[in-house]
């Protein structure tokens, strides 16, 4: 599927009708989501890492992560965006090449330094995103994750500042992870790009997040964890 199809899914959406992107961790889960009617998917690094036996946060060798993404992308007929954490230390051109070779049309890139768990200076991250955009042209949808809330900031100003840098660098959307739902609209208005919000079991529904200002909804590793919880329940019944 083309990046144009995926990009178009983010625009012209009615309030309360966000793009809902389930996160498959293997081919079987991807096919379940496609059969349920979802128009696109977004792989979560946490769930793929867990399914491969690695810890989250750059613990999975890039070769294995890209191979998993490729298996998913080549098994379904809808666009797939790939969470590649902070880029695995790859030069932008190589990162773009590997993402596109895997069959993904979008990429999620975070702005925390995996070595220190600290925020990357916003201009340096913007320069990296600009280099990714230059290497990809229009062939890749770039979702720029903003980790200010994850790192302790509680007001939208810091996220908006970073988001403006990333928008100027060519990002298609921003993902202020763990932003309070009531701040989604100010973030979207302040940055001027579609905002990705994460749906959580104890939080607002995906449609409510859409009404609050999110354009697209992802789940991180949440769907994988819920699946494992269900499997644990099944396992407990096997010897009953």
């Amino acid at each position: 599927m083309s990046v144009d199809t995926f990009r178009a899914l983010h625009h012209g959406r009615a309030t309360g009708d966000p793009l809902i992107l389930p996160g498959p961790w293997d081919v079987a889960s991807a096919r379940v989501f496609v059969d349920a009617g979802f128009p696109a998917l977004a792989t979560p690094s946490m769930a793929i890492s867990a399914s491969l036996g690695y810890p989250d946060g750059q613990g999975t060798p890039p070769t294995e992560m890209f191979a998993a993404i490729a298996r998913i992308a080549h098994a379904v007929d809808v666009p797939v965006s790939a969470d590649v954490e902070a880029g695995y230390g790859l030069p932008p051109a190589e990162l773009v090449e590997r993402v596109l070779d895997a069959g993904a049309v979008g990429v999620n890139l975070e702005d925390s330094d995996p070595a220190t768990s600290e925020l990357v200076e916003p201009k340096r991250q913007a320069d990296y995103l600009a280099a990714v955009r230059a290497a990809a042209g229009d062939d890749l949808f770039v979702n720029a994750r903003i980790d200010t809330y994850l790192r302790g900031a509680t007001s939208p100003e810091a996220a908006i500042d970073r988001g403006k840098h990333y928008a100027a660098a060519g990002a298609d959307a921003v993902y202020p992870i763990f932003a309070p739902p009531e701040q989604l609209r100010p973030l979207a208005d302040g940055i001027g790009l579609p905002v990705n919000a994460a749906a959580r079991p104890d939080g607002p529904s995906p449609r409510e997040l859409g009404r609050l200002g999110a354009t697209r909804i992802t789940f991180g590793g949440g769907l994988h964890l819920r699946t494992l919880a269900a499997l644990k329940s099944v396992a407990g019944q096997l010897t009953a």
Side-chain angles (χ1 to χ4, degrees):
M1 297 294 290
S2 76
V3 65
D4 294 335
T5 299
F6 187 62
R7 190 170 277 122
L9 288 171
H10 292 76
H11 297 286
R13 307 197 69 88
T15 300
D17 180 33
L19 173 62
I20 299 174
L21 298 173
W25 52 93
D26 59 14
V27 169
S29 58
R31 287 176 172 162
V32 167
F33 294 135
V34 171
D35 288 347
F38 291 97
L41 307 174
T43 66
S45 63
M46 178 182 174
I48 289 180
S49 295
S51 72
L52 295 174
Y54 295 101
D56 187 35
Q58 304 277 323
T60 305
T63 299
E64 293 196 42
M65 180 61 74
F66 286 114
I69 293 166
R71 286 192 293 272
I72 291 168
H74 293 142
V76 297
D77 60 358
V78 301
V80 173
S81 181
D83 178 2
V84 292
E85 303 182 74
Y88 304 109
L90 297 172
E94 182 179 352
L95 176 69
V96 168
E97 180 180 13
R98 295 182 75 167
V99 170
L100 294 177
D101 283 350
V105 300
V107 67
N108 190 83
L109 285 164
E110 61 196 54
D111 61 358
S112 287
D113 185 329
T116 65
S117 296
E118 295 180 355
L119 288 165
V120 176
E121 193 276 324
K123 186 174 186 309
R124 181 158 69 92
Q125 181 69 5
D127 287 344
Y128 184 76
L129 293 172
V132 169
R133 172 57 67 214
D138 291 330
D139 293 338
L140 198 63
F141 186 101
V142 177
N143 188 38
R145 202 177 92 175
I146 300 172
D147 286 1
T148 51
Y149 296 96
L150 179 64
R151 303 303 171 198
T154 58
S155 64
E157 286 76 17
I160 290 173
D161 178 67
R162 283 179 175 266
K164 287 181 176 179
H165 278 86
Y166 304 163
D172 293 282
V174 291
Y175 178 18
I177 189 170
F178 299 149
E182 65 273 12
Q183 292 186 18
L184 293 172
R185 178 62 62 194
L187 289 167
D189 292 343
I191 296 170
L193 289 179
V195 169
N196 186 150
R200 305 171 74 176
D202 58 349
S205 70
R207 292 199 177 277
E208 179 60 21
L209 290 171
R211 284 190 285 271
L212 291 168
T215 294
R216 76 183 225 171
I217 309 298
T218 54
F219 301 84
L223 299 179
H224 181 248
L225 292 175
R226 289 168 65 180
T227 300
L228 291 180
L231 184 59
K232 184 177 180 179
S233 176
V234 171
Q237 300 170 21
L238 298 180
T239 57

